Amino acid sequence: MTAPPAVFGAGWRRPWQHWRRLCYCSMPKQLRIPAGLSSRPGRFLLMVCLSCLLGLSPVLGRPQAPGALSGTMPAGDQLIPIEQQPFYPQLQRDADDWSDVVLDQVVGDSPRSTLLNFYAVMAEVGQRADRLGQAPDSSRRGGSARQEQIDDTDLLFNLAVKALDASAFPESVRSDMSDEAAIQLKHVLDYVFSHSRQPIEIPDVAGMKQRNDLRSTPTESWRIPGTAITLTSDLERDPENESFYFSAATVASAREMYDEIRDIPVIAQPFATPRFYSDFIYTPGYLIPPDWYLALPLQWRRVLEWPIGDQTLFQVFSAAVFIGLYGLLALWLMSLLINTYRGDSLNKNEDLELYSRDELAWKRVFIILPLLPLTYFIEELIDNILNFTGFPLVVVIYSFYVIWYLAASVLVFFLFEAFGRSGAETLSRWRGSDSPIRLRRINSLVMPISRAVGMLVSVVLIYRLLLLLGLPSSTVLAFSAVPGLAIGLGASKLLGNLFAGLSIQTDRPLRVGEFCEVGGKLGFVTKIGLRSMELQTLESRVTIPNSVADEATIINFSRRGLSRDRPPTQGLEVRLPIRDPLSPYQLEELLRQARKLLQRSSFQGLLAALHQPVVSLGPADDGTNELIVFVMVELHGWEAFLRVRETLMLALEELLERVDLSEIVVGVAYSTTSEQLQRIPELLRSVVAEDPQLNYEACRLVRISAFSYDHELEISSTHDLHDDFEDSMHRLNRRILAILAANGIEIPFPTQTLELHSTDSTP
């Protein structure tokens, strides 16, 4: 009984593997289990059951010779050594060339050139790695010659990896998985070239042309007979390519093919590298372990290299420590970020808080920023220093890629927000104003744009992450269609608000800080966003959608400055009823004093912001008069508005009382002689003149009342404070009483006058 020429079997040492592959290759493709979706024993039992159903005879004593996942190889009497293969002389020449020059490329214009170059280079890399992986002598440790050999070995390996079409791997793990696939494929080729029972003819350019001439449908691919190892020049990502590469399907199934032959003893031959992959996965470092690891005692290394799956005790423990430290630091950074959103981190003063928002935004940027290099460092440490491989490496890379891109998305959003706030402050100062209201207006225009751009870049980063994780581009495009579908189904109002917000920002019927009436709501505009605007009324804060505000009638009570030197202002109207009748002189004095009051540079520190005052008189609804005052005020917010209005009303009330006291009626008794009556105006003028802040206007005998001769004294005042005016009037009245008494002029009392009249009427 002859041994089967199985390329990927173990001969008679593992007969159950032959039967499993026979069942796998014999069943229909629809019933085959994809590799990696279940355990080997489970697949074997399922295949046996299916083969029985298909009528296959499980004759374990005489298994058919399967190929490497597809195809078979005809049986022969004995194995053909690699030295007797027809391609061996060319392989030797290629190996000699690569030992001298390492600057060529592995891929060639034919399957023969690429395959032999790859095999020769990988054999050279494996042998160098085995030699350099021994503990160096103390005299050579760290020497430049050893480092040069390590660099040349890495260069050779990278050239060999370029012969693989690794497009089947996700971009995030493509480099690492292609490195592993290259070494695994080298072991598979060791088996193929050593266990073949027929000559392997590898076609060159002429051979490929001859093959295609004999075919009805030419092909740009060639498969090693009896195996699934295919070389092709038909690359999906490069239609113009003419060089031959190991196909994407071959590279993707390299691990599965290696698992089939990994336990089969290697036949000694000049290009075999039996320990290449085991040394690669069970030691730290890239291809060659670092010198500090090789310097450890052999007993220690045996303990550290205790296998745990495809990793070692040293790799698993070190990775757990580094990931734990990384997690603690990341949680600390996240706690700092969350603290920036707490209320106690903001200033209670709104104006100060407005100017500190850029500092808060930059603080968030610098909190997130260390997470990116830290994530990259830990991923590189686990990947290239600890040298994780296989499925654990995929999990680590996927996890850290997700963390890195999510952190980058958040960082980009915070970065654009920080740039927007700092840019708004710079623009406000460049325009020559440190006014908080102007900063709010610039923020209302700059911040929505900054946030929109930041959100767009963040979305692009998330899409990039999906591509790196292996999601097909068509699926990513399908994801990108979801926002459009959401807008079409339920976000039409949001779209309308966005366009209305752009219209408001362009036409500017109102701005932040202006006093307006929008849709029947009266208040200050505190925010204009892309979706809505906020109006601070006296009792609450009202949010109005931009589409509603765009269609509503807007009454803007504010006037905008025509230049930088004229700040924007808003109107303030005060109507003060005049309850007591005033003489024409008093009304005229009221208007004069009111205009003088409003034209002052300051009044109790609150009236400095009054502009363009207008003072007038008008009739009230009850038939009396009222004082109408309208001014433009440079301020923002109900608190400041009410404070200025109440201060202005109090000042006008004091002014009204002062005007009421500016006309004094002095009544003298009927017993006053004509000479005394003539002297009264001069006497009153003299007492008024004693006070430099009082001005004498006139003194006339205006009426002869039932009890006295009434003189009307008209005065004006230059006092700034109402209390000073009242003190001055107090002194004036006392002086009037004193000078009248000194000149024998009496001021009668009504009761006394009534008594005189009653005495005169007695018979």
Side-chain angles (χ1 to χ4, degrees), residues 148-164:
E148 183 178 354
Q149 292 179 6
I150 293 175
D151 294 339
D152 289 344
T153 304
D154 292 342
L155 178 59
L156 279 173
F157 182 65
N158 291 328
L159 290 175
V161 172
K162 291 181 180 179
L164 276 61

Side-chain angles (χ1 to χ4, degrees), residues 240-467:
E240 303 297 328
N241 173 67
E242 295 181 355
S243 300
F244 278 80
Y245 293 81
F246 288 94
S247 67
T250 299
V251 176
S253 60
R255 171 171 286 274
E256 183 179 358
M257 291 188 291
Y258 173 74
D259 289 341
E260 294 287 337
I261 57 92
R262 67 187 304 173
D263 297 329
I264 301 175
V266 177
I267 297 177
Q269 48 102 346
F271 294 93
T273 53
R275 295 186 301 179
F276 193 2
Y277 187 67
S278 60
D279 290 342
F280 176 74
I281 65 174
Y282 287 143
T283 56
Y286 186 46
L287 285 176
I288 290 80
D291 291 346
W292 63 266
Y293 184 80
L294 296 176
L296 295 176
L298 184 60
Q299 294 79 3
W300 292 17
R301 290 176 54 187
R302 287 177 179 175
V303 174
L304 294 177
E305 293 176 9
W306 186 274
I308 302 178
D310 284 344
Q311 316 305 316
T312 63
L313 177 63
F314 170 75
Q315 292 171 327
V316 173
F317 177 77
S318 300
V321 171
F322 288 127
I323 292 176
L325 295 175
Y326 168 81
L328 292 176
L329 186 57
L331 289 177
W332 177 66
L333 292 175
M334 290 300 101
S335 64
L336 292 179
L337 180 63
I338 293 173
N339 288 335
T340 62
Y341 286 95
R342 293 181 178 176
D344 53 2
S345 64
L346 301 178
N347 200 304
K348 295 182 179 179
N349 188 303
E350 292 186 2
D351 293 340
L352 295 179
E353 186 267 334
L354 179 65
Y355 279 96
S356 63
R357 286 181 181 177
D358 63 327
E359 298 178 2
L360 189 61
W362 284 111
K363 181 179 179 181
R364 291 169 181 164
V365 169
F366 289 119
I367 289 176
I368 293 294
L369 184 60
L371 195 60
L372 270 66
L374 180 64
T375 303
Y376 176 79
F377 172 75
I378 295 297
E379 189 270 334
E380 285 292 314
L381 181 66
I382 296 177
D383 182 6
N384 295 325
I385 305 301
L386 298 181
N387 196 27
F388 260 45
T389 56
F391 180 72
L393 176 62
V394 174
V395 173
V396 169
I397 291 180
Y398 276 12
S399 301
F400 282 102
Y401 262 75
V402 170
I403 295 173
W404 193 94
Y405 273 90
L406 290 180
S409 301
V410 175
L411 175 64
V412 165
F413 182 80
F414 286 157
L415 186 62
F416 275 95
E417 182 173 1
F419 276 129
R421 295 199 179 279
S422 297
E425 287 193 19
T426 302
L427 183 60
S428 177
R429 293 190 174 95
W430 177 76
R431 297 185 65 180
S433 174
D434 290 332
S435 172
I437 183 62
R438 187 179 295 278
L439 180 58
R440 286 191 176 93
R441 289 173 179 172
I442 297 176
N443 275 334
S444 68
L445 179 63
V446 173
M447 291 310 301
I449 298 176
S450 299
R451 288 170 177 166
V453 174
M455 185 66 69
L456 179 61
V457 177
S458 299
V459 171
V460 172
L461 288 175
I462 296 299
Y463 281 175
R464 174 62 178 165
L465 172 63
L466 297 178
L467 292 175

Side-chain angles (χ1 to χ4, degrees), residues 104-123:
D104 201 355
Q105 63 177 3
V106 174
V107 295
D109 56 358
S110 66
R112 174 191 287 267
S113 177
T114 299
L115 180 58
L116 296 183
N117 276 333
F118 174 80
Y119 191 65
V121 170
M122 289 300 294

Side-chain angles (χ1 to χ4, degrees), residues 83 127 140 222 265 283 330 379 408 448 489 560 621 657 717 750 761:
E83 293 85 354
Q127 292 168 3
R140 295 185 300 160
W222 176 80
T283 56
E379 189 270 334
L489 294 178
R560 298 171 184 174
D621 295 336
E657 182 179 355
S717 169
S761 62

Side-chain angles (χ1 to χ4, degrees), residues 48-68:
V48 171
C49 296
L50 292 175
S51 65
C52 293
L53 293 176
L54 294 173
L56 298 176
S57 177
V59 183
L60 297 179
R62 296 181 58 86
Q64 301 295 324

Side-chain angles (χ1 to χ4, degrees), residues 657-691:
E657 182 179 355
R658 184 182 306 184
V659 168
D660 186 52
L661 295 175
S662 65
E663 191 174 84
I664 303 173
V665 177
V666 180
V668 298
Y670 284 151
S671 60
T672 305
T673 64
S674 58
E675 295 178 354
Q676 290 175 327
L677 290 175
Q678 290 179 357
R679 293 178 57 195
I680 287 177
E682 291 298 328
L683 294 175
L684 295 180
R685 179 195 292 269
S686 64
V687 297
V688 172
E690 293 181 14
D691 192 334

